[in-house]
């Protein structure tokens, strides 16, 4: 289980949760290319095909805005 350790690298910077030991979840839709983890009050998202790569970190408000935008087609590439 992941710890709830969160560090802030410098004043005004977004908190960065400790992702070591995070429990990553894959989508039941698609090929599991995107994984998320709930850690330290934040939501982390990474490329499941390259789990050693970087992760995007969202606050709960940012995550909600992202999900609502995706549902509304805001990010469609058509």
């Amino acid at each position: 289980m992941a710890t709830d350790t969160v560090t802030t690298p410098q004043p005004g910077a977004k908190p960065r949760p400790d992702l070591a030991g995070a429990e990553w979840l894959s989508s039941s839709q698609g090929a599991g290319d995107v994984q998320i983890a709930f850690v330290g009050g934040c939501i982390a998202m990474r490329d499941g095909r390259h789990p050693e790569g970087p992760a995007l970190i969202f606050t709960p408000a940012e995550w909600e805005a992202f999900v609502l935008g995706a549902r509304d087609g805001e990010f469609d590439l058509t």
Side-chain angles (χ1 to χ4, degrees), residues 6-34:
V6 177
T7 59
T8 303
Q10 50 187 289
K14 183 188 286 190
R16 174 102 182 143
D18 180 3
L19 300 178
E23 294 182 31
W24 293 94
L25 306 170
S26 295
S27 171
S28 60
Q29 305 281 321
D33 292 343
V34 175

Side-chain angles (χ1 to χ4, degrees), residues 26-46:
S26 295
S27 171
S28 60
Q29 305 281 321
D33 292 343
V34 175
Q35 297 178 325
I36 62 169
F38 299 92
V39 182
C42 296
I43 298 91
M45 183 170 66
R46 70 180 184 186

